[in-house]
Amino acid sequence: MRAHRNVLAFVMAGGEGSRLHPLTADRCKPAVPFNGKHRIVDFVLSNLVNSEIYSVYLLVQYKSQSLIEHVRQSWTMTRFIPQHFITVVPPQMRHGREWFQGTADAVAQNIHLIESFRPDIVAVFGADHIYRMDVRQMIDFHVRSDAQASVATLPVRLDQCDQFGIVEVDDQHRIVEFKEKPRTTRPMPGSRTHALASMGNYIFNADVLLKVLRRMRDSGDSDFGKHILPSMVNTHKLVAYDFDTNIIPGTEPYEEQGYWRDVGTIDAYYEAHFDTLGAAPRFRLTNRLWPIYASSEPAESAQIENGLIHRSVVGSGSVIDGASLDHAMLRRSVHVERSARLEHCIVMERSRIGRGAQVRRAIIDQDNDVPPMERIGFDLEQDRKRFHVSEGGIVVVPAGYFPPRAHGSSLIPREFDSGAETVHQRQEALA
């Protein structure tokens, strides 16, 4: 890496995220909140910055305003070092009135940025995944292999191959075939049950990438996984980088080695949250040696007046007032009123859970004022009449579905306004 310091990164942040609807009704997929303080895009940006890659173009497209605001507020680089920047780039339509038609087309429409920057290496990374990665190690592997393009890979089960780009390699890690989401494929070397999948993260020699992008304008190709990489297999040296060999400092023994999640569905997004919970989580967000940077929070510290809390995250500015939380993730400025109970829930910014309300296996998007005594997640057939319910039974309440209540309207029967322990016992009986 030290011999190839001039690295330019493109982050593909234009994903519509239709499978994450309704969380993506008003925001693009990379802007979707994650855990207590982060957004999905923070993971790839943190990995690049921690890897000393400071020149980053973030290519955006669908419903990008909240992502643009997040980057402006949270990812400002110093103005005294010109090559340290994270810049949002919408479609420029320099070659016609077209939006980005695919990942390769997005970079091709911004080929002038590569030409003016004149890097040695171009990194093209996705913005949709939860993981840690030292990109320097992948670049070192790319250089040692004398490769012209490298693809980050990890094993996936054969029955999942239709969800990924699948690569076949020889014993020198050279890619001999690249298939985008095949129905069937051969297992990877040394395995009968797994194939080698692309993570959507690529390293290119800049001169090679420029030639390929210029040529694709005439061919009509638009996507790296579907068109560009498969066409390069027989003409260029492509190698597969094994993500499992990537070593992150500060990783604890109890964490899952090579943790990586594609949070493209409601169920995958929901489950990844709970991989970060507990004293020994699968994926620990508080790694001081490889931090995942988040937005600075202007809100005050969380306040816990009273209640029962088990394995939960309480964001800044939140208030817990005699409620019960079990595997709950609250982002900032969430108010949970007395006698409410949350089980395996994600509650986003500026939401309020009314007195006596019970919510389980649900995602409450931002700016919701859940009424007192409301029940969500207990009768999925009834929930489907109002909300989106995922294949895995996760109820998603859209942003602003429950409007703010009038002041003083949170009264509930006296029997529910006893101590937290008594309320907990009563709610267990109701469930």
Side-chain angles (χ1 to χ4, degrees), residues 1-36:
M1 176 70 177
R2 287 177 171 80
H4 293 263
R5 284 289 183 182
N6 197 16
V7 179
L8 178 64
F10 286 92
V11 174
M12 303 290 101
E16 186 176 7
S18 57
R19 295 182 300 162
L20 274 179
H21 190 82
L23 299 179
T24 51
D26 297 304
R27 56 168 86 92
C28 60
K29 181 179 175 182
V32 171
F34 188 85
N35 204 274

Side-chain angles (χ1 to χ4, degrees), residues 39 64-75 88:
R39 292 177 185 250
S64 59
Q65 189 57 41
S66 62
L67 178 60
I68 292 171
E69 292 298 324
H70 172 68
V71 172
R72 181 182 64 83
Q73 295 170 7
S74 305
W75 288 96
V88 175

Side-chain angles (χ1 to χ4, degrees), residues 13-151:
E16 186 176 7
S18 57
R19 295 182 300 162
L20 274 179
H21 190 82
L23 299 179
T24 51
D26 297 304
R27 56 168 86 92
C28 60
K29 181 179 175 182
V32 171
F34 188 85
N35 204 274
K37 299 175 63 177
H38 299 86
R39 292 177 185 250
I40 295 175
V41 74
D42 291 330
F43 290 82
V44 63
L45 294 180
S46 296
N47 287 330
L48 290 169
V49 170
N50 289 334
S51 302
E52 301 177 2
I53 298 173
Y54 302 122
S55 304
V56 181
Y57 286 114
L58 196 70
L59 305 188
V60 303
Q61 183 153 267
Y62 297 100
K63 300 174 183 175
S64 59
Q65 189 57 41
S66 62
L67 178 60
I68 292 171
E69 292 298 324
H70 172 68
V71 172
R72 181 182 64 83
Q73 295 170 7
S74 305
W75 288 96
T76 301
M77 306 287 271
T78 176
R79 62 186 176 89
F80 298 108
I81 306 177
Q83 289 191 332
H84 286 197
F85 59 84
I86 296 177
T87 299
V88 175
V89 181
Q92 301 296 300
M93 300 185 182
R94 296 169 65 95
H95 304 288
R97 295 184 175 275
E98 289 186 346
W99 287 42
F100 299 147
Q101 301 302 304
T103 53
D105 182 63
V107 178
Q109 287 198 34
N110 292 283
I111 197 171
H112 61 288
L113 299 176
I114 305 175
E115 293 170 335
S116 61
F117 192 87
R118 302 176 69 181
D120 301 310
I121 297 289
V122 177
V124 180
F125 274 51
D128 302 341
H129 307 123
I130 306 302
Y131 69 114
R132 282 190 176 91
M133 180 179 184
D134 185 349
V135 185
R136 293 171 298 189
Q137 295 175 30
M138 182 177 177
I139 293 177
D140 287 342
F141 174 81
H142 172 87
V143 173
R144 288 196 309 270
S145 302
D146 195 28
Q148 294 167 303
S150 296
V151 179

Side-chain angles (χ1 to χ4, degrees), residues 15-323:
E16 186 176 7
S18 57
R19 295 182 300 162
L20 274 179
H21 190 82
L23 299 179
T24 51
D26 297 304
R27 56 168 86 92
C28 60
K29 181 179 175 182
V32 171
F34 188 85
N35 204 274
K37 299 175 63 177
H38 299 86
R39 292 177 185 250
I40 295 175
V41 74
D42 291 330
F43 290 82
V44 63
L45 294 180
S46 296
N47 287 330
L48 290 169
V49 170
N50 289 334
S51 302
E52 301 177 2
I53 298 173
Y54 302 122
S55 304
V56 181
Y57 286 114
L58 196 70
L59 305 188
V60 303
Q61 183 153 267
Y62 297 100
K63 300 174 183 175
S64 59
Q65 189 57 41
S66 62
L67 178 60
I68 292 171
E69 292 298 324
H70 172 68
V71 172
R72 181 182 64 83
Q73 295 170 7
S74 305
W75 288 96
T76 301
M77 306 287 271
T78 176
R79 62 186 176 89
F80 298 108
I81 306 177
Q83 289 191 332
H84 286 197
F85 59 84
I86 296 177
T87 299
V88 175
V89 181
Q92 301 296 300
M93 300 185 182
R94 296 169 65 95
H95 304 288
R97 295 184 175 275
E98 289 186 346
W99 287 42
F100 299 147
Q101 301 302 304
T103 53
D105 182 63
V107 178
Q109 287 198 34
N110 292 283
I111 197 171
H112 61 288
L113 299 176
I114 305 175
E115 293 170 335
S116 61
F117 192 87
R118 302 176 69 181
D120 301 310
I121 297 289
V122 177
V124 180
F125 274 51
D128 302 341
H129 307 123
I130 306 302
Y131 69 114
R132 282 190 176 91
M133 180 179 184
D134 185 349
V135 185
R136 293 171 298 189
Q137 295 175 30
M138 182 177 177
I139 293 177
D140 287 342
F141 174 81
H142 172 87
V143 173
R144 288 196 309 270
S145 302
D146 195 28
Q148 294 167 303
S150 296
V151 179
T153 61
L154 77 173
V156 297
R157 298 196 315 270
L158 290 176
D159 60 2
Q160 295 179 317
C161 67
D162 60 350
Q163 303 174 35
F164 300 94
I166 300 297
V167 303
E168 295 187 13
V169 299
D170 62 18
D171 56 3
Q172 299 298 315
H173 303 284
R174 182 164 184 166
I175 297 174
V176 297
E177 189 169 3
F178 192 112
K179 297 178 288 187
E180 181 69 5
K181 299 181 179 178
R183 291 185 178 180
T184 60
T185 190
R186 292 190 293 269
M188 59 187 287
S191 174
R192 297 181 178 179
T193 58
H194 286 71
L196 208 53
S198 167
M199 297 168 59
N201 295 342
Y202 316 121
I203 300 295
F204 293 93
N205 290 349
D207 57 341
V208 171
L209 180 61
L210 284 171
K211 291 178 182 178
V212 170
L213 294 178
R214 289 170 184 145
R215 191 165 55 243
M216 64 166 277
R217 291 178 181 173
D218 300 325
S219 65
D221 294 338
S222 61
D223 191 83
F224 283 113
K226 293 178 182 178
H227 308 122
I228 303 302
L229 292 169
S231 70
M232 293 177 65
V233 168
N234 295 323
T235 58
H236 296 79
K237 185 175 183 181
L238 275 62
V239 297
Y241 173 71
D242 184 357
F243 177 62
D244 279 343
T245 65
N246 200 263
I247 304 300
I248 297 297
T251 301
E252 296 290 350
Y254 52 74
E255 294 186 74
E256 181 180 315
Q257 176 66 31
Y259 184 93
W260 181 88
R261 295 293 187 274
D262 179 356
V263 289
T265 66
I266 290 293
D267 293 331
Y269 171 81
Y270 175 87
E271 291 167 4
H273 275 79
F274 296 100
D275 288 342
T276 68
L277 277 182
R282 290 184 175 181
F283 185 71
R284 186 172 60 100
L285 285 178
T286 54
N287 184 337
R288 294 183 179 180
L289 299 181
W290 200 272
I292 303 299
Y293 298 102
S295 60
S296 56
E297 298 288 359
E300 61 187 13
S301 300
Q303 178 179 337
I304 301 174
E305 184 71 19
N306 191 7
L308 297 173
I309 300 177
H310 175 243
R311 192 166 286 184
S312 297
V313 170
V314 181
S316 59
S318 295
V319 177
I320 311 301
D321 185 9

